[in-house]
């Protein structure tokens, strides 16, 4: 029998006051949990309503990224954490138990995986409060609450989590279970994973406490045992671990223990937040706000509870380290660069070497309480690392979650300098052959396949995807090289970190393969394909606008199978405004560079192993370039080729090859655009910056 879920009738006073916030399981978890069954009928009705609403035409919310709010409207903040903690710990008691934030259960689909949050030293289970609004759209979220006065030993906490995990796995054996653990919660997750190596678990660990033996907190255990109850050592030290700058300033004002540099914090905020008088005013307000949190912090971790939690950290660290060899789960470790509680950076490196399937994401400017920082978005992190899946394996179509408006805004803000510098001009072709400025010629309904050639370094992709998103509300999903997705443990320069490509995964990029191409076409996506691949993007001197396409019609038959519209396109600007100083041939003459290129190439996934010639010659290297000014990008999208009308014909290989050659020849309109670029580069010629002359030139030369 699953535990009974209560909202307003719990015997625990603190839970009673949270009737509008939490759905609570009052049992320890020994008889299963029934996660996902509660309110299943209501959720199905809600999902039907959501699908109906999404089918209606909506305005393009991506059209003006500057006007998109930086955070979602229903996002909660640090003050909400303290407010709900205050309610939860009031008259709190009883054993550890699970609860589900109601904001997480309102929009969760029945097929979403279960996410169990295992709290850190605070034990409240509210550590993800700033992420509930987004997590609830992807997961069935349940959080472990450990009451302030509870003294359940670590091994018993492991059993509570394990019983829950086994129960859910029995109910849904083909669905992964996510364990998100913070510090001591990370030790719990590791221990549960080690005891269940055959279970499909995904662990997301924030600053794991497996490094407690190296922590500066460990010497506090004997100190706390000797100190009298009146000595308030717990509160100042907890405050020194606070994440926001005003907490550090408050500690300096109080003369408390702090490992931060207050002067540096102040100077950082002078640069980031404006004039000093404004900062002083905000600081005063923040100090007053922080002072109101002091009683809540004291209630969350009183002296005896702190002593118990430190001992719990000690035993949890020992247990977690003793069973690392048995962990087979997929892991994502989040570590902070300014963690004053644990040596998290060093520990993440150690764990990555010890665990078979482990990735790291570093947050250089963050403190220990990572999930309570405004600029940390757990959902985006999980999506960027390709860690979100509903089944045994990641499916690029069914598991993909499109970028939220705030995620797109952050991307746009990060590339705004690129858009400003290149001032991209987009031209598309309507069905009647008319060339217009803008993207009106791009079909709204998929499947659509954009086929083009890579500019130098593939830099043209950034404005292309962003502009189509802003103007047409269409997400173009790139088919990219596997090197951007393969997890390599011992990466060394010049190999980029896998995290460098998180943004392209958030925007929907997938590794190139026949299976992924099939999935994109079958899901009616707008896909972006570069047949020339790396060889084209990393071309040599004198190879500007030269195609390196394979002889085989690799994509035509697949596109025709789903009646996809193929849009050939060309780009001009990047190669003409960046000069290659040292290309592949030059770099191979430098011994140490040659060794790096050979090492990186040998570790990169091989594509087109049956090909020969230049298309098979895809050495991984970074050419040295010198930018030129001014620069502007021009994009031309040709008339869509309707394969739906030629489905029967394109079943024959000969017909596919003919179509392929047609696309290859028509693709970039390279000569035309080069002439237009020449006009832009010479003051005496007709400027293409004006729409009429540019379009007229195209129409005249076609």
């Amino acid at each position: 029998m699953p535990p009974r879920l209560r909202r307003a009738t719990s015997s625990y006073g603190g839970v009673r006051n949270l009737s509008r916030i939490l759905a609570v399981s009052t049992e320890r978890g020994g008889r299963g949990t029934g996660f996902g069954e509660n309110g299943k009928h209501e959720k199905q009705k809600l999902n039907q309503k959501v699908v109906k609403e999404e089918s209606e035409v909506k305005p393009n919310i991506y059209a003006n990224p500057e006007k998109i709010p930086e955070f979602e409207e229903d996002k909660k903040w640090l003050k909400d954490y303290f407010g709900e903690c205050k309610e939860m710990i009031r008259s709190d008691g009883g054993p550890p138990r699970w609860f589900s934030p109601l904001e997480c259960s309102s929009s969760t689909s029945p097929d979403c995986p279960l996410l169990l949050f295992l709290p850190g030293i605070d034990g409240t289970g509210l550590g993800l409060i700033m992420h509930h609004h987004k997590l609830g759209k992807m997961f069935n979220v349940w959080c472990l609450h450990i009451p302030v006065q509870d003294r359940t030993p670590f091994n018993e906490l492991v059993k509570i989590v394990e019983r829950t995990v086994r129960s859910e796995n029995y109910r849904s054996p083909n669905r992964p279970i996510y364990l998100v653990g913070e510090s001591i919660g990370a030790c719990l997750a590791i221990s549960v994973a080690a005891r269940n190596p055959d279970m499909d678990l995904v662990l997301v660990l924030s600053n794991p406490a497996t490094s407690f033996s190296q922590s500066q907190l460990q010497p506090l255990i004997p100190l706390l045992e000797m100190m009298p109850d009146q000595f308030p050592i717990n509160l100042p030290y907890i405050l020194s671990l606070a994440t926001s700058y005003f907490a550090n300033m408050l500690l300096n004002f109080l003369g408390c223990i702090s490992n931060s540099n207050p002067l540096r914090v102040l100077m950082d905020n002078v640069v980031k937040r404006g004039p000093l008088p404004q900062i002083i005013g905000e600081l005063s307000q923040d100090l007053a706000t922080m002072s109101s949190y002091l009683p809540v912090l004291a209630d969350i971790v009183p002296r005896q509870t702190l002593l118990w939690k430190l001992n719990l950290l000690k035993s949890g660290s020992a247990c977690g380290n003793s069973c690392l060899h048995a962990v087979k789960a997929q892991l994502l470790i989040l570590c902070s660069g300014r963690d004053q509680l644990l040596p998290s950076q060093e520990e993440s490196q150690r764990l990555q070497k010890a665990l078979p399937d482990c990735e790291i994401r570093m947050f250089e400017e963050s403190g220990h309480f990572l999930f309570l920082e405004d600029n940390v978005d757990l959902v985006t992190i999980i999506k960027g690392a390709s860690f979100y899946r509903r089944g045994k394996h990641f499916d690029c179509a069914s598991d993909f979650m499109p970028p939220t408006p705030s995620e797109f805004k952050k991307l746009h803000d990060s590339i705004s300098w690129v858009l400003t510098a290149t001032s991209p001009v987009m031209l598309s072709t309507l069905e009647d052959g008319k060339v217009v400025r803008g993207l009106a010629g791009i079909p709204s309904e998929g499947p659509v396949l954009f086929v083009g050639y890579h500019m130098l370094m593939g830099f043209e992709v950034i404005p292309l995807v962003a502009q189509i998103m802003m103007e047409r509300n269409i997400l173009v999903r790139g088919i990219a090289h596997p090197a951007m997705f393969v997890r390599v443990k011992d990466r060394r320069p010049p190999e980029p970190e896998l995290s460098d490509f998180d943004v392209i995964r958030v925007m929907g990029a997938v590794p190139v393969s026949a299976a992924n191409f099939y999935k994109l076409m079958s899901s009616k996506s707008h896909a972006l394909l570069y047949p020339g691949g790396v060889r084209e993007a990393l071309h040599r001197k004198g190879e500007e606008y030269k195609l390196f396409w394979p002889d085989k019609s690799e994509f035509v038959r697949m596109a025709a199978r789903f009646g996809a519209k193929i849009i050939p396109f060309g780009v001009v600007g990047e190669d003409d405004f960046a000069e290659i100083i040292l290309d592949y041939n030059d770099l191979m003459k430098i011994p140490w560079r040659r060794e790096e290129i050979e090492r990186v190439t040998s570790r990169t996934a091989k594509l087109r192993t049956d090909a020969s010639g230049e298309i098979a010659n895809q050495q991984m290297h970074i050419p040295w370039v010198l930018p030129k000014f001014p620069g502007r990008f021009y994009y031309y999208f040709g008339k869509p080729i309707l394969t739906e009308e030629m489905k029967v014909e394109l079943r024959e290989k000969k017909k596919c090859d003919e179509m392929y050659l047609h696309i290859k020849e028509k693709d970039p309109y390279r000569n035309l655009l080069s002439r237009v670029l020449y006009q832009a580069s010479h003051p005496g010629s007709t400027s293409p910056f004006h729409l009429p002359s540019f379009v007229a030139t195209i129409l005249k030369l076609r």
Side-chain angles (χ1 to χ4, degrees):
M1 290 289 292
R4 187 176 180 183
L5 294 177
R6 306 187 178 195
R7 285 191 170 88
T9 58
S10 171
S11 59
Y12 306 117
V15 176
R16 183 187 301 274
N17 293 330
L18 289 180
S19 60
R20 290 178 296 177
I21 301 173
L22 313 173
V24 184
S25 168
T26 59
E27 295 190 5
R28 290 176 73 103
R31 294 182 293 169
T33 60
F35 295 126
E37 295 296 331
N38 181 51
K40 185 175 181 180
H41 183 63
E42 288 78 2
K43 286 182 182 179
Q44 289 175 343
K45 287 184 178 180
L46 178 64
N47 292 330
Q48 292 174 358
K49 180 180 178 182
V50 171
V51 170
K52 182 179 179 181
E53 291 177 352
E54 289 181 349
S55 65
E56 299 175 356
V57 178
K58 296 182 179 180
N60 184 5
I61 56 177
Y62 303 99
N64 297 301
E66 298 84 1
K67 297 182 179 180
I68 298 176
E70 187 174 357
F71 301 103
E72 288 78 5
E73 185 178 356
D74 50 355
K75 176 182 173 66
K76 291 188 176 181
W77 304 94
L78 186 63
K79 62 180 179 62
D80 299 299
Y81 167 78
F82 283 104
E84 294 189 16
C85 281
K86 185 177 180 180
E87 293 295 326
M88 176 169 281
I89 64 178
R90 183 179 297 168
S91 303
D92 197 7
R97 54 193 178 273
W98 299 99
F99 69 86
S100 176
L102 292 186
E103 62 265 35
C104 290
S105 60
S106 60
S107 59
T108 306
S109 172
D111 65 340
C112 286
L114 174 67
L115 184 149
L116 300 177
F117 175 59
L118 310 178
I121 195 171
D122 67 308
T124 62
L126 292 170
L128 294 182
I129 192 171
M130 297 171 68
H131 310 269
H132 287 166
H133 64 297
K134 293 183 68 175
L135 287 171
K137 299 174 183 177
M138 298 170 55
F139 297 98
N140 185 12
V141 181
W142 286 80
C143 309
L144 182 64
H145 172 62
I146 305 174
V148 174
Q149 301 302 325
D150 180 77
R151 297 296 182 260
T152 303
F154 182 81
N155 61 333
E156 290 299 319
L157 292 175
V158 171
K159 292 178 182 178
I160 292 173
V161 179
E162 185 179 34
R163 283 194 294 265
T164 300
V165 167
R166 287 183 175 179
S167 173
E168 178 65 13
N169 184 69
Y170 178 79
R171 291 180 60 256
S172 305
N174 297 319
R175 193 176 301 163
I177 300 174
Y178 285 73
L179 301 180
V180 178
E182 181 181 49
S183 63
I184 184 63
C187 296
L188 277 173
I190 289 173
S191 301
V192 171
R195 291 162 63 104
N196 300 273
D198 297 327
M199 204 173 291
D200 188 8
L201 300 177
V202 181
L203 275 56
V204 181
L205 311 180
S206 173
N207 299 319
T210 46
S211 62
F212 183 73
S213 61
Q214 306 298 320
S215 171
Q216 55 185 321
L217 279 182
Q218 189 174 18
L220 278 181
I221 296 178
L223 182 63
L224 283 173
E225 291 175 340
M226 294 185 298
M227 285 291 178
D229 293 341
Q230 295 81 5
F231 194 85
I233 191 173
N234 57 327
L235 184 57
Y237 204 90
I238 293 172
L239 285 176
S240 71
L241 307 175
T243 58
S244 50
Y245 79 94
F246 56 83
N248 289 307
M249 295 303 294
L250 175 62
L251 289 172
N252 187 54
F253 174 76
L254 296 176
C256 299
I257 302 173
S258 174
N259 294 329
S260 299
N261 185 335
L263 180 59
R264 179 179 178 181
V265 172
L266 179 60
M267 292 306 297
D268 286 347
N269 285 283
V270 167
V271 175
K272 295 178 182 178
R273 303 188 63 163
L276 187 59
Q278 177 185 348
I279 296 175
I280 293 175
E282 294 178 358
L283 182 58
S284 301
Q285 183 179 356
D286 292 336
L287 289 174
T289 303
M290 192 63 189
S291 63
S292 66
Y293 299 155
L294 301 185
V296 183
L297 285 171
D299 291 339
I300 292 175
V301 192
R303 179 180 175 278
Q304 289 300 324
T305 299
L306 176 60
L307 178 58
W308 170 258
K309 291 292 178 68
L310 291 176
N311 280 296
L312 200 64
L313 283 168
K314 184 177 180 180
S315 59
S317 176
C319 182
N321 282 305
S322 67
C323 62
L324 284 177
H325 64 281
V327 176
K328 307 299 180 186
Q330 185 181 8
L331 278 92
L332 177 63
I333 298 179
L334 316 179
C335 60
S336 300
R338 295 188 179 183
D339 188 346
Q340 301 176 30
L341 176 59
L342 300 167
S344 295
Q345 291 194 56
E346 296 81 359
E347 183 65 5
S348 63
Q349 299 293 333
R350 184 183 75 89
L351 291 176
Q352 187 180 46
K353 294 178 181 178
L355 298 167
D357 188 3
C358 179
E359 280 193 47
I360 297 175
R361 292 298 181 270
M362 175 68 70
F363 301 86
E364 295 287 355
E365 302 301 318
S366 296
H368 178 74
F369 299 107
L370 191 64
F371 295 138
L372 293 177
E373 299 199 12
D374 294 346
N375 61 339
V376 175
D377 190 325
L378 179 58
V379 166
T380 304
I381 294 168
I382 292 174
K383 288 162 61 174
S386 295
F387 264 60
Y388 183 71
R389 54 186 172 88
R390 296 182 177 91
K392 291 290 185 182
H393 305 284
F394 174 74
D395 187 299
C396 67
S398 62
D399 290 332
F400 175 65
M401 303 293 289
T404 63
S406 62
E407 287 172 340
F408 181 71
K409 176 180 175 61
K410 291 178 182 177
L411 167 67
H412 182 269
D413 291 346
S414 67
I415 65 170
S416 59
W417 67 273
V418 177
L419 301 178
T420 301
T422 60
S423 300
V425 174
M426 302 280 175
L427 296 143
S428 61
T429 309
L430 303 179
E431 292 184 1
D432 60 2
K434 182 181 179 181
V435 177
V436 296
R437 183 164 186 169
L439 299 169
I442 304 299
S444 300
E445 298 296 326
V448 174
L449 179 63
F450 296 90
V451 181
Y453 69 95
H454 259 314
M455 300 289 287
L456 181 62
M457 305 288 288
F459 203 60
E460 80 289 341
V461 176
I462 299 173
L464 185 151
V465 173
Q467 198 68 28
I468 294 179
M469 191 85 164
M470 289 187 289
E471 185 172 334
R472 294 298 310 279
N473 196 17
I474 294 173
L475 176 62
V476 177
R477 303 193 61 184
I479 302 174
H481 195 282
M484 300 180 182
F485 302 85
V486 176
R487 301 178 175 99
V488 180
K489 281 194 173 184
D490 54 340
R491 289 179 182 265
R492 291 182 292 170
E495 293 177 277
E497 293 293 334
L498 192 58
S499 59
D500 295 340
F501 304 110
D502 282 3
V503 64
I504 73 164
R505 288 189 285 271
V506 171
M507 294 299 294
V510 301
V512 59
S513 72
N516 286 339
F517 188 26
Y518 177 92
K519 291 175 182 177
L520 291 181
M521 292 294 98
S522 63
S523 61
K524 298 184 177 180
S525 301
H526 287 67
L528 173 62
L529 178 67
Y530 290 99
V534 171
R535 179 61 183 87
E536 205 166 70
L538 305 179
H539 56 249
R540 317 327 185 207
K541 296 175 183 176
E543 294 180 345
E544 296 83 358
Y545 306 108
K546 182 179 180 181
L547 297 187
F548 291 91
W549 287 22
D551 296 328
K552 298 180 180 180
S553 53
E554 298 173 319
F555 59 85
V556 175
R557 183 174 298 182
M558 182 74 76
R561 179 175 181 176
F562 296 97
K565 306 172 188 70
I566 300 177
I567 301 181
F569 74 93
V571 191
V572 131
E574 185 175 350
D575 277 285
D576 300 88
F577 291 107
E579 181 180 357
I580 300 177
I581 304 301
L582 296 177
D583 64 6
Y584 169 77
N585 297 325
D586 298 321
L587 295 174
M588 288 296 286
K589 297 175 183 178
I590 306 174
W592 63 274
R593 290 292 295 174
R594 181 176 65 250
E595 293 177 2
E596 286 182 348
I597 293 172
E598 292 174 349
R599 173 173 55 84
V600 174
T601 302
S602 66
R603 288 155 56 94
T604 303
K606 301 298 186 294
L607 299 176
R608 296 177 176 140
T609 54
D610 58 341
S612 59
E614 286 296 330
I615 191 60
N617 187 23
Q618 298 199 8
Q619 288 84 359
M620 305 299 290
H621 71 288
I622 305 297
W624 293 17
V625 300
L626 183 65
K628 304 177 184 178
F629 297 97
R632 194 168 193 181
F633 287 2
Y634 299 90
Y635 295 77
Y636 178 82
F637 297 90
K639 183 179 179 180
I641 300 172
L642 307 180
T643 62
E644 179 72 32
E645 302 172 357
M646 299 178 285
K647 267 189 177 181
V648 177
E649 296 181 50
L650 293 177
R651 289 177 182 174
E652 300 180 16
K653 185 178 184 301
K654 183 179 180 181
K655 293 293 184 182
C656 283
D657 291 340
E658 291 176 0
M659 172 65 71
Y660 177 72
L661 290 175
H662 174 64
I663 296 171
K664 184 176 180 180
E665 292 173 1
K666 183 180 179 182
D667 169 74
Y669 286 87
R670 299 185 306 279
N671 296 334
L672 166 64
L673 291 178
S674 295
R675 273 172 257 165
V676 173
L677 178 65
Y678 177 82
Q679 290 177 334
S681 305
H682 293 72
S685 62
T686 303
S687 173
F689 294 144
H690 242 300
L691 170 62
S693 61
F694 191 41
V695 174
T697 304
I698 291 178
L699 294 175
K700 186 183 296 185
L701 295 176
R702 284 192 62 196

